Amino acid sequence: MTTATPIPPYDPAELEPRWRQRWDVDELYRVDNDDPREPYYFLTMLPYTSGDLHIGHWYAISPSDTAARWLRMQGKNVLFPLGYDAFGLPAENAAINNNTHPKQWTYNNVEAMTRQMKTMGASFDWSREFATSDPEYYRWTQWWFLKLYEHGLAYRGSADCNFCPGCGTVLANEQVNRNDEGIGVCERCESIVEAKQMEQWMFRITNYADELLEFDGLDWPEPIKLMQRNWIGRSEGAEISFPLGRTIGGEDRITVFTTRPDTLFGCTFMVLAPEHPLVAELTSADRRVEVEAYIEQARRQNEIERQSTKREKTGVFTGAYAKHPFTGDDIQIWIADYVLLTYGTGAVMGVPAHDERDFAFASERGIDIPVVIAPPDWDGQSLAEAYTGPGRMVNSAQFDGTDWQDGKLAVADALDEIGLGGRTVSYRLRDWLISRQRYWGAPIPMIYCESCGTVPVPEDDLPVLLPDDAEFLPTGASPLARHEGFVNVDCPVCGEAGRRETDTMDTFMCSNWYMYRYVDPHNHDAPIGAELADQWLPVDTYTGGAEHAVMHLFYARFFAKAARDMSVLSIDEPFAKLFNQGTITKDGAKMSKSRGNVVNPDEWVGRYGADTVRLYLMFLGPWEAGGDWDDSGISGQWRWLNRVWNLALEPVDSGTEHADAIRRATHRMIGKVSDDIARFRFNTMIAAMMEFTNELQAIREQGTVDAAAWREAIDALLLCLAPSAPHITEELWQQTGHSGSIHEQRWPEFDESLARAETVTVVVQVNGKLRDKLDLPLGTSQQDAEAAARDSERVLAQIAGKTLHRVIWVPDKLLNFVAN
RNA sequence: GCCGGGAUGGCGAAAGUGGUAGACGCGGCGGACUUAAAAUCCGCUGGCCUUCGGGCCGCGGGGGUUCGAAUCCCCCUCCCGGUACCA
């Protein structure tokens, strides 16, 4: 070793803040819209202002920043912004617990998080930062609401809502999870959700159900696409009407939805949801007591036991009958709580032979179970269980012999002809309920007037400001409703006294459009200017957790399409490429304050510096897999950065040796790192650079090295490492005699011809088992390789006494003797 | 139940198209430096057996295809995520 003069130690505590300040002063990451380079929009999901920045934020952001920096070195004009999702319940809950105002709590957190976030050295353009609770921002959230209202995409309607008693507000369907017993619980506080009929604001996301099923041209993970498709739950089938023979409640028929119209002739009963509007009038006098008791019991256990799929199929007969649309046979009308009012038509036809639930229901009640789709080798006997597979129609009059698939269409079309049904499509997706009976959100900009009805707040009056002095403790009613100063307002149309809408919007409305605002964050005339929108949108790459598959990511897609149809944007989709990173855990469990297993990044940054922490998070494993934070591993990255430091700064014995070996290692490293970073394989990218430093160190041990090749090697290493470890590489770039920021340099060019080795290791197998390895010149012929292999004692010993049947030859790789 | 994803050393993990399993790192062991420790550097590190040449076994389990399987096919177990009477 030739450390004649000692080099200064690697001191991240000194160098990291110094460089961050310098970049700040130089506005290194300020994005210029007029930059002629190709624009690239790289976005990571905006964090919620929870206050405590934990290592999970770093896990999400470090690789994103690395990719964004790499794209810049590729010559792109990269927009990489950050802001805060700031409205929402935790702010209120924390405020209640700490006796501070949600606004104060939120903005304190914004400040603290920004301070912490900045220690990462991420290349965010902070001049575009905002919080969704900024009046200047939610003014436009309200503007979007007005647009949606104007275009008939926002409406107020009575709906069976999911009410969370814990949060004191209604929730969207997507915000209700199932617990282990299958009971609906609040996504946030896990309280059991109650059903409540309420007048609420909704968005017509169902208008876009079919378009949302399309993912053409999107580079999205398959599992997310699948989850969205399942959530939409499109199923093709038929509507079938069963005439009642009289008019009840204005209806002369009951309509069911089915995916199996081919089984219509096997229908022996029908079942309505207990809440079905016709039930009361249908019920015969002698059945009334029983039916009402059943409805009452179903309502009581609502949502709770009713969700369990395993329990017995209960139900009661209404005493009423409908007529089979083809045969005219009497069909008993039952009610049962396994039929849901919210899906299809709230009524189903009972075909016990070909539906498992109907079979269970019918066999317990002695209802006929006629077979109408013949199972394979069917002998005409009755069935022991429901048969739901393919087959030909039987006992189905003119349809006998028809294949079930053809039968589905044929029956639907025949019903269409007689006016009793036809083909139709049903969806599981419901409209998105956005009203929230909470304080800390964007007020819905509507006014109710005695004479004018529901009136939108005029655009010029936006924002409808959230009053600071509201009593925000949750009661189930909107806190704003008790604020007289807020509620009372003159009707903008007639000037008479009106009342404001007092619900606020679901915070997912705020995150529906934040990616557009970054593009034009200071626009006072519009949420986003058309020109800048065309320049930057859609987002090229979006990274974030998979937990928003059917919430944020789904809503945002709907919103983009709505914005397009309202002629505000001209994109079909908000995110061209989506990448889901995994979750970082501690001791195998999700980090949470209540578990007390939150890893604070500040502690580790203080100990090793930001670059080490960034590298360690990326080195843990594949980004999409997530990982467990283990304190002991981080020292590896620290040691390695110290080795890089020394390698770059320690003088070498200059000469002319090993030039080829150094260049080969250099270009192999450049090739591997370039490849990995493009595929977001940050763990193997770092491993490749580590391998490279190991090689350089080994070469240096062997004596003098070619000065030019060595210099190229160190430059390449620093450039390749710059996106991942921005501080140390900037320092070393300067100390090794360069001028200008390393982060404004071009990514090193990979030269494949320099990376190629002149010899390769050829593996020699006998019957597929490794027996020897040969070092042979690249491009050695099979003949020469075989000759070399036959010189090997170990190979000969294995072939001895055997007959050679075949020789498998994979050039420059493998030679396999097949013998026995 | 259904739909996705996964299981590789003591640990985190590598292995684009079937072709040297365990790269890289942590931890461990041994050595150098030091009065000593830390730090750093060097060597070894999947298991079992070994006459020290090597041999056998090893990618959740069991079958199969193939000259050759972590990788392809079939069956099974377990773990994680989604969904759940959707007609």
Side-chain angles (χ1 to χ4, degrees), chain A residues 615 618-619 637 640 682-691:
Chain A
L615 284 176
M618 289 192 275
F619 188 69
Q637 304 304 315
W640 181 59
F682 303 101
N683 56 331
T684 50
M685 168 195 78
I686 293 168
M689 289 188 280
M690 287 177 156
E691 214 172 336

Side-chain angles (χ1 to χ4, degrees), chain A residues 165-407:
Chain A
C167 297
T169 183
V170 298
L171 304 171
N173 279 355
E174 292 81 4
Q175 288 160 348
V176 179
N177 287 339
R178 300 280 153 191
N179 67 9
D180 295 342
E181 286 104 59
I183 298 166
V185 296
C186 173
E187 181 233 348
R188 224 173 237 302
C189 71
E190 300 192 342
S191 308
I192 292 175
V193 168
E194 298 165 2
K196 239 185 189 181
Q197 275 287 124
M198 289 172 87
E199 281 271 306
Q200 301 283 291
W201 283 99
M202 325 253 215
F203 288 161
R204 285 193 205 281
I205 195 168
T206 52
N207 278 14
Y208 293 88
D210 280 321
E211 204 190 336
L212 287 166
L213 284 166
E214 296 297 324
F215 292 90
D216 291 350
L218 291 192
D219 183 3
W220 277 40
E222 284 304 323
I224 299 285
K225 293 196 270 188
L226 195 74
M227 279 159 74
Q228 294 202 352
R229 285 197 195 100
N230 289 342
W231 190 259
I232 294 166
R234 182 183 200 272
S235 48
E236 292 186 1
E239 271 188 352
I240 301 177
S241 293
F242 291 71
L244 290 167
R246 56 200 167 120
T247 301
I248 294 173
E251 298 286 337
D252 64 352
R253 58 184 64 183
I254 291 176
T255 302
V256 302
F257 171 76
T258 180
T259 55
R260 295 296 306 275
D262 54 310
T263 65
L264 176 56
F265 284 83
C267 171
T268 46
F269 63 100
M270 63 191 307
V271 187
L272 309 188
E275 308 90 336
H276 194 283
L278 292 183
V279 170
E281 296 197 54
L282 276 171
T283 305
S284 62
D286 57 321
R287 294 276 163 183
R288 189 153 306 261
V289 175
E290 205 185 336
V291 166
E292 279 173 3
Y294 185 79
I295 294 171
E296 184 48 37
Q297 168 244 325
R299 182 178 300 143
R300 241 196 343 270
Q301 55 176 229
N302 228 331
E303 295 304 310
I304 303 175
E305 288 151 44
R306 212 174 144 177
Q307 301 290 344
S308 170
T309 55
K310 284 157 211 120
R311 77 195 230 288
E312 200 193 331
K313 301 276 174 280
T314 62
V316 294
F317 179 42
T318 61
Y321 293 86
K323 301 252 179 270
H324 190 283
F326 286 133
T327 65
D329 290 348
D330 278 343
I331 302 287
Q332 306 171 7
I333 303 174
W334 290 66
I335 61 170
D337 61 10
Y338 76 85
V339 176
L340 308 174
L341 188 65
T342 50
Y343 184 77
T345 61
V348 303
M349 64 177 192
V351 184
H354 305 293
D355 180 278
E356 278 162 35
R357 288 158 312 184
D358 296 343
F359 188 93
F361 192 83
S363 38
E364 281 165 26
R365 290 169 182 79
I367 298 171
D368 276 357
I369 306 179
V371 175
V372 292
I373 299 292
D377 308 320
W378 182 55
D379 56 5
Q381 295 302 301
S382 55
L383 302 175
E385 56 180 21
Y387 176 71
T388 55
R392 293 198 173 275
M393 293 172 70
V394 292
N395 298 325
S396 298
Q398 70 266 37
F399 300 100
D400 279 354
T402 309
D403 179 75
W404 70 318
Q405 294 293 10
D406 302 333

Side-chain angles (χ1 to χ4, degrees), chain A residues 674-695:
Chain A
S674 303
D675 215 53
D676 282 348
I677 201 168
R679 295 187 302 145
F680 286 5
R681 302 299 294 229
F682 303 101
N683 56 331
T684 50
M685 168 195 78
I686 293 168
M689 289 188 280
M690 287 177 156
E691 214 172 336
F692 180 55
T693 53
N694 290 346
E695 283 171 325

Side-chain angles (χ1 to χ4, degrees), chain A residues 567-613:
Chain A
S567 307
V568 185
L569 294 176
S570 53
I571 51 170
D572 294 314
E573 290 282 347
F575 315 115
K577 177 190 165 91
L578 173 71
F579 188 91
N580 286 125
Q581 87 247 340
T583 314
I584 186 138
T585 55
K586 171 69 182 158
D587 304 322
K590 226 175 178 159
M591 286 185 211
S592 75
K593 247 189 268 182
S594 55
R595 263 195 210 89
N597 65 345
V598 176
V599 176
N600 180 358
D602 294 355
E603 183 191 338
W604 298 98
V605 173
R607 214 138 123 197
Y608 295 112
D611 286 341
T612 294
V613 177

Side-chain angles (χ1 to χ4, degrees), chain A residues 589-716:
Chain A
K590 226 175 178 159
M591 286 185 211
S592 75
K593 247 189 268 182
S594 55
R595 263 195 210 89
N597 65 345
V598 176
V599 176
N600 180 358
D602 294 355
E603 183 191 338
W604 298 98
V605 173
R607 214 138 123 197
Y608 295 112
D611 286 341
T612 294
V613 177
R614 291 169 59 115
L615 284 176
Y616 180 53
L617 288 168
M618 289 192 275
F619 188 69
L620 277 180
W623 198 23
E624 66 271 24
D628 198 59
W629 174 271
D630 174 12
D631 297 355
S632 66
I634 193 169
S635 58
Q637 304 304 315
W638 166 249
R639 280 179 212 155
W640 181 59
L641 281 185
N642 274 282
R643 282 207 294 278
V644 169
W645 178 268
N646 293 331
L647 205 55
L649 296 181
E650 280 170 3
V652 287
D653 293 335
S654 283
T656 53
E657 285 181 275
H658 307 300
D660 289 351
I662 293 169
R663 291 208 171 92
R664 192 179 318 123
T666 303
H667 282 271
R668 274 215 318 268
M669 183 276 293
I670 295 171
K672 175 74 175 150
V673 171
S674 303
D675 215 53
D676 282 348
I677 201 168
R679 295 187 302 145
F680 286 5
R681 302 299 294 229
F682 303 101
N683 56 331
T684 50
M685 168 195 78
I686 293 168
M689 289 188 280
M690 287 177 156
E691 214 172 336
F692 180 55
T693 53
N694 290 346
E695 283 171 325
L696 286 184
Q697 224 145 10
I699 289 169
R700 191 177 61 174
E701 296 299 320
Q702 291 168 26
T704 68
V705 297
D706 183 87
W710 185 262
R711 168 107 198 192
E712 286 162 30
I714 297 299
D715 282 358

